[in-house]
């Protein structure tokens, strides 16, 4: 609840018992002959209050002698406790008080209270049973006419009858407001509430048979109210739903409850509507809040987008808990158990969300990942897709986990990888090996028509096609793969179409690239010079691990029309010669994807410009000899070392 303090302003005609009610509430007993106006009284939240109740509630007494003060107090109120006690003061409720509130421009909830009810019955015990009818007759026209009137209640400051309850209703008008839930004029739940409750029904219908069975209701009850439902209460609800949907009743023709199956979605909505009509707003709010709804009936941003401190060079991955939740979700929605989610199943899965993430439609989901022969996303693809989503924009993941009904803090479904460390060699920095990451991002760059898209498609296990259609914008593919030893990784491959240069100039994008895959068409003589130019143009790229690839190995290899041939070029950069592969040879592709992953895991070995360790040692050694050879001390030391090394040989021989 946003409000920490709420102000309850008591008003009503002279002598109706305003001051006495306040004292009665605070002291717990009746005191007569009080001063006209009491100073404001602050009542702190007690330990038994709900977490949504305010920290403190201020009760403000008023009198009618000073109109200016009265008006000022009314304007500062959060809720008005309007008291009357007899026929005359009742008449003035609509003739004077409600009019006054409206003319002052107050749009506040009003709790209408008929005090001194001890005077109407012979004794208090009798009051609530015999007098109810009269009260109802008095209250109904006011409730009908003034939507501001939240609830009506009768009290007795003398006998303490329902004084606490009246106070509670004042608080409730703020903490569990009815206005956002129910449209009193048309007598229906408001559309946003209906939408939220439908989503809650979907999430609670675990076995997805469209009924809430006893177990599901019990689980829902425990989630919302922290206790299990009483069997009698449950039977009462079922009977009530059956009764009101029987012939000639209000919901004749509706299916609200089906014996042995459970409560239907309509039944669930009608039940909540009845709660609203009966003034049990807090029950509806209890349900909504358990599912993270705010007072404006949207899901809390704090739940959708929890704060996460992510170091600049870390990445975000799904935790085992996150993967488990997504596996369960997939299996639950794969109704026909064929290992793929078809359109209907996907639509149903996304029903409790605002629709598929924008990122997904932009990346041509499900064709961004593995689909089966019927074009349905498989479990492998589903997990790969979420691994990619989490890597690219983890906020999408936390939000959707909440939409899907992830019960805990969405952060528990994620893990932040260690910040990337840098090492220094020969005066240059390079990326340290990684041990805690399993999702890697690889950029595939190369001349148009060199075969990048075909590579992405084969990565997803799709058959090779001869037809060429140029890639205009970015194109992404994600899949899992296993390295020797059985460790599983996810690899995101991206090509950029016409935007290649723009992306490679963007430092943030390059920072998030784990491996750069430089491809050329070994059957096209004009293909390699493109890469040489590209490496020259973007100096930054030399800090990334790179893998050179010669595509279309099934076609005849030609001499590259370039001042330097591919093998020579890679040698100059101290990286491996291009790997020759073909999208028509699956085993060669496998080799490549493993190589890419290994380059991501051990970036140092694949970063251009670093001679292999042995060559460095040789160079350093030669340098050392030159520096120290002049000193005699070194020579003896050196000789000593050599002798030590030689000795065991001698001994052994
Ligand atoms: N029988 C009965 N008398 C009550 C009750 N509450 C208040 N009274 C009496 O009604 C009279 C007026 O009570 P107050 O509390 O002064 O009324 P008020 O609304 O503050 O009146 P003003 O200060 O004049 O605006 C006192 O004599 C109270 O003892 C009640 O619940 N039952
Ligand atoms: N023989 C043979 N042809 C290939 C191979 N890979 C791709 N092709 C063909 O080469 C042409 C271009 O392939 P794409 O994968 O679209 O090339 P691209 O690099 O994505 O092209 P752009 O999107 O324009 O940059 C297509 O006609 C493919 O069928 C291969 O390994 N062998
Ligand atoms: Ca008073």
């Amino acid at each position: 609840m946003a409000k920490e303090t709420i102000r309850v302003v008591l008003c009503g005609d002279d002598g109706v018992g305003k001051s006495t009610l306040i004292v009665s509430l605070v002291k717990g007993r009746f005191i007569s002959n009080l001063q006209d106006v009491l100073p404001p009284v602050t009542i702190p939240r007690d330990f038994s209050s709900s977490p949504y109740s305010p920290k403190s509630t201020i009760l403000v007494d008023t009198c009618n002698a000073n109109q200016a003060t009265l008006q000022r107090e009314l304007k500062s109120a959060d809720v008005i406790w309007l008291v009357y006690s007899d026929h005359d003061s009742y008449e003035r409720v609509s003739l004077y008080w409600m009019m006054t509130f409206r003319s002052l421009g107050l749009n506040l909830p009003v709790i209408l209270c008929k005090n001194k009810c001890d005077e109407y019955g012979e004794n208090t015990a009798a009051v609530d049973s015999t007098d109810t009818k009269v009260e109802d007759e008095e209250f109904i026209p006011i409730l009908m006419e003034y939507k501001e009137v939240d609830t009506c209640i009768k009290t007795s400051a003398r006998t303490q009858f329902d004084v606490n309850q009246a106070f509670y209703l004042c608080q409730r008008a703020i903490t569990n407001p009815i206005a956002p839930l129910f449209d009193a004029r048309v007598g229906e739940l408001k559309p946003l509430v209906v939408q939220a409750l439908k989503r809650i029904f979907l999430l609670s219908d675990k076995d997805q048979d469209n009924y809430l069975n006893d177990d599901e209701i019990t689980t829902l009850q425990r989630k919302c109210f922290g206790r299990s439902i009483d069997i009698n209460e449950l039977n009462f609800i079922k009977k009530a739903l059956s009764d009101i949907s029987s012939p000639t009743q209000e919901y004749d023709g509706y299916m609200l409850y089906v014996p042995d199956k459970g409560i239907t979605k309509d039944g669930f909505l009608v039940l909540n509507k009845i709660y609203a009509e009966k003034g049990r707003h807090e029950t509806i709010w209890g349900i909504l809040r358990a599912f993270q709804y705010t007072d404006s009936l949207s899901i809390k941003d704090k739940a959708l987008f929890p704060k996460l401190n992510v170091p600049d060079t870390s990445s975000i991955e799904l935790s085992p808990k996150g993967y488990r939740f997504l596996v369960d979700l997939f299996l639950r929605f794969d109704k026909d158990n064929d290992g793929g989610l078809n359109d209907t199943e996907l639509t149903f899965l996304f029903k409790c969300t605002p629709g598929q993430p924008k990122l997904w439609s932009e990346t041509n989901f499900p064709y961004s990942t593995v689909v089966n022969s019927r074009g349905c996303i498989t479990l492998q693809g589903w997990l790969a897709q979420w691994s990619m989503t989490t890597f690219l924009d983890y906020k999408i993941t936390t939000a959707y986990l909440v939409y899907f009904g992830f019960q805990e803090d969405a952060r528990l479904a994620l893990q932040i990888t260690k910040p990337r460390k840098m090492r220094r060699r020969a005066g240059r920095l390079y990326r340290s090996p990684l041990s805690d990451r399993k999702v890697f991002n690889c950029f595939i760059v190369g001349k148009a028509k060199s075969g990048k898209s075909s590579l992405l498609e084969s990565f997803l296990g799709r058959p090779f096609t001869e037809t060429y259609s140029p890639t205009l914008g970015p194109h992404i593919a994600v899949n899992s793969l296993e390295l020797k030893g059985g460790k599983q990784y996810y690899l995101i491959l991206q090509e950029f179409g016409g935007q290649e240069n723009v992306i490679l100039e963007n430092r943030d994008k390059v920072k998030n690239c784990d491996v750069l895959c430089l491809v050329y068409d070994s059957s096209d003589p004009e293909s390699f010079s493109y890469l040489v130019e590209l490496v020259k143009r973007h100096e930054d790229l030399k800090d990334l691990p790179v893998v050179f690839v010669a595509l279309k190995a099934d076609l005849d290899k030609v001499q590259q029309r370039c001042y330097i041939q591919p093998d020579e070029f890679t040698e100059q950069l101290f990286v491996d010669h291009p790997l020759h592969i073909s999208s028509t040879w699956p085993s060669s592709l496998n080799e490549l994807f493993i190589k890419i992953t290994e380059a991501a895991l051990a970036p140092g070995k694949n970063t251009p410009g670093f001679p292999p360790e042995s060559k460095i040692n040789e160079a350093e050694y030669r340098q050392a000899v030159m520096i120290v050879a002049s000193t005699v001390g070194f020579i003896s030391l050196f000789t000593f070392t050599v002798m030590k090394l030689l000795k065991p040989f001698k001994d052994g021989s």
Side-chain angles (χ1 to χ4, degrees), residues 225-246:
F225 305 104
R227 59 182 175 81
S228 56
I229 197 163
D230 179 73
I231 183 77
N232 293 322
E233 202 180 332
L234 185 57
N235 287 335
F236 178 79
I237 289 173
K238 290 175 182 172
K239 185 168 179 320
L241 290 177
S242 300
D243 288 351
I244 55 176
S245 55
S246 59

Side-chain angles (χ1 to χ4, degrees), residues 192-204 265-266 268-269 293 352:
L192 284 177
V193 182
V194 172
Q195 197 186 320
L197 289 172
K198 280 183 177 169
R199 178 173 166 264
I200 291 170
F201 182 90
L202 278 175
L203 291 173
S204 306
K265 193 189 282 172
D266 281 341
F268 184 63
L269 292 175
Y293 282 92
C352 47

Side-chain angles (χ1 to χ4, degrees), residues 13-14 16 83-97 120 138:
D13 285 358
D14 295 345
V16 291
V83 188
Y84 73 93
S85 64
D86 55 14
H87 183 73
D88 285 354
S89 54
Y90 171 73
E91 290 283 288
R92 294 230 323 143
V93 165
S94 24
L95 289 178
Y96 174 74
W97 287 104
Y120 307 103
E138 282 183 14

Side-chain angles (χ1 to χ4, degrees), residues 96-115:
Y96 174 74
W97 287 104
M98 295 310 298
M99 291 304 148
T100 304
F101 302 154
R102 286 191 175 177
S103 65
L104 285 175
L106 309 174
N107 190 4
L108 296 174
V110 174
I111 306 300
L112 182 62
C113 167
K114 178 181 186 166
N115 190 34

Side-chain angles (χ1 to χ4, degrees), residues 483-499:
L483 291 201
K484 285 157 218 137
K487 251 191 129 176
Q488 205 190 34
Y489 294 92
Y490 288 96
L491 195 56
I492 303 168
L493 301 184
Q494 303 195 57
E495 62 164 329
F496 302 105
Q499 295 171 27

